Amino acid sequence: MILKTKTLQNTVSPQAIAGQKQEQNVAFFLRRAFKDNSEILVINDFKFTFNDETAQIDHLIVYPYGFVLIESKSIKGHVKVNKQGEWTRSFNQQWSGMPSPIKQVELQQLLLKELLKHHKVEILGKMLGIQQGFNGRRWDHLCVVSSDAIIDRNTMPQKVSDKLVKSEFLVDKLNKIMKLGNKLLRKVNVYDTRPYFNQQELDSIGRFIISQHIDSINQASEVVTKTPEENQQPQVPTAVNNTTPITNNQPISATKLSCKHCGESTNYIPMYGKFGYYIKCNQCTKNTPMKQACPQCQSKNTRVQKRKETYTLNCQDCSHSQQII
């Protein structure tokens, strides 16, 4: 299941364009393999802060037995790693050193562990009076490079080679790591003693992780400029609050959000995808854009703004602003 799609940025440099293309390529393989699997949660382009530290994970997999962090690297040409774990790459027949993406993703993994452990009470709760946690879960990380890269594995340390994979072979590698197999057979397999998250716990972990995401676009302006559409993938599920208007300190009637398919007006989850903010109905499971006509002047030139748990509809024509969630 795809909880968050890749957030596209306006890039100019060839390196940035190539890097974004590689991340999109990896996201494509993940979407094609796991979009219909509720036990495998895929979160692309996840940025979060904890304990005054910030990390950005290109791709995060959450599954019943643990987590897999994936660092995407656009590497054209050769890539080598010596016995000391130092990376070099060739470009236009010239060699240069590069930071180790394995070390980079290890630091991201450490910070994510600390974040989840710090919030384990609100994420997992208790079972039979015992606090659940994240101990014993699998934590894996991979570096995925372009499919046309040439990897010199002969001189590469085995522990690095095991974590380095080309985009086209990523799904096969993930399946070997996760070892899920048939869901019914897993329940009767007495030899598989791995602690696991049930579906409710998986969903809770997914909701929490998405709620921690820092929207880099909204960090600066807190405004989403793209038009939301129905075929979005989820990003930010948060608790639904009572609808109360805010505009220039003058009370006005609240804008009521409801599912355009079944009319449900309370049982939904606010989310965000590549086209903007929307609500996912828990009744019919379909999506409805938050963007709508201005309730004051009926203009369709509106934007949705999010600040923490609050969503606001802003009219670009009459400057009317109203909280919708």
Side-chain angles (χ1 to χ4, degrees), residues 41-316:
L41 310 181
V42 179
I43 303 166
N44 298 290
D45 196 14
F46 172 47
K47 185 176 182 180
F48 67 101
T49 62
F50 179 70
N51 198 22
D52 296 327
E53 299 289 341
T54 301
Q56 182 159 0
I57 301 172
D58 290 339
H59 316 276
L60 173 62
I61 307 294
V62 185
Y63 68 108
Y65 299 111
F67 306 83
V68 185
L69 286 75
I70 302 170
E71 178 73 14
S72 292
K73 287 296 179 185
S74 175
I75 298 180
K76 307 290 184 180
H78 290 72
V79 56
K80 294 182 179 181
V81 183
N82 63 21
K83 294 180 180 179
Q84 287 72 36
E86 299 167 337
W87 289 58
T88 54
R89 62 190 295 182
S90 68
F91 182 72
N92 290 335
Q93 298 183 343
Q94 293 185 348
W95 286 89
S96 62
M98 61 176 288
S100 168
I102 299 297
K103 289 297 182 183
Q104 181 179 347
V105 75
E106 285 176 352
L107 293 175
Q108 298 166 355
Q109 178 176 295
L110 180 60
L111 192 63
L112 180 61
K113 273 186 178 181
E114 293 176 353
L115 173 69
L116 294 178
K117 288 181 179 179
H118 183 77
H119 292 278
K120 64 181 180 181
V121 175
E122 58 190 280
I123 300 174
L124 298 179
K126 295 183 178 181
M127 180 178 293
L128 301 177
I130 301 175
Q131 175 60 55
Q132 302 301 295
F134 296 93
N135 293 331
R137 315 299 178 175
R138 283 207 57 163
W139 286 88
D140 294 280
H141 51 271
L142 299 171
C143 174
V144 184
V145 298
S146 310
S147 293
D148 54 358
I150 301 174
I151 304 173
D152 187 353
R153 297 188 185 271
N154 293 329
T155 59
M156 184 178 295
Q158 188 62 44
K159 63 180 181 179
V160 175
S161 181
D162 290 342
K163 299 181 183 300
L164 185 59
V165 60
K166 291 187 177 184
S167 302
E168 57 191 321
F169 300 111
L170 173 61
V171 172
D172 293 335
K173 183 71 173 181
L174 287 171
N175 286 330
K176 289 181 180 179
I177 290 174
M178 295 186 291
K179 297 179 182 178
L180 287 181
N182 183 277
K183 187 175 182 179
L184 295 177
L185 293 179
R186 291 202 319 263
K187 293 183 177 180
V188 297
N189 184 2
V190 295
Y191 298 103
D192 191 347
T193 59
R194 293 176 293 173
Y196 67 93
F197 301 118
N198 59 36
Q199 192 62 53
Q200 183 178 358
E201 290 170 333
L202 278 175
D203 294 341
S204 180
I205 293 170
R207 285 193 297 269
F208 173 79
I209 290 176
I210 292 301
S211 72
Q212 298 299 304
H213 173 65
I214 301 172
D215 190 334
S216 57
I217 297 176
N218 289 341
Q219 267 189 295
S221 63
E222 289 289 328
V223 173
V224 172
T225 58
K226 294 183 179 179
T227 303
E229 294 184 2
E230 185 176 340
N231 61 344
Q232 302 164 346
Q233 298 294 343
Q235 179 186 2
V236 184
T238 55
V240 178
N241 300 324
N242 292 330
T243 305
T244 55
I246 53 171
T247 172
N248 300 326
N249 297 323
Q250 295 180 355
I252 57 177
S253 58
T255 298
K256 187 75 171 179
L257 280 178
S258 60
C259 175
K260 69 178 183 180
H261 303 279
C262 69
E264 175 59 44
S265 60
T266 57
N267 189 16
Y268 58 74
I269 302 175
M271 290 185 173
Y272 174 65
K274 64 180 180 178
F275 296 106
Y277 293 106
Y278 65 105
I279 57 173
K280 182 177 182 63
C281 180
N282 290 329
Q283 288 289 110
C284 67
T285 71
K286 294 184 178 180
N287 302 331
T288 300
M290 288 190 195
K291 179 178 166 65
Q292 53 190 283
C294 173
Q296 184 159 290
C297 71
Q298 303 307 311
S299 170
K300 295 184 179 180
N301 186 19
T302 57
R303 294 176 178 174
V304 175
Q305 172 183 1
K306 178 181 182 294
R307 292 182 184 274
K308 296 184 179 180
E309 308 303 320
T310 300
Y311 298 77
T312 306
L313 183 72
N314 300 296
C315 180
Q316 306 303 297

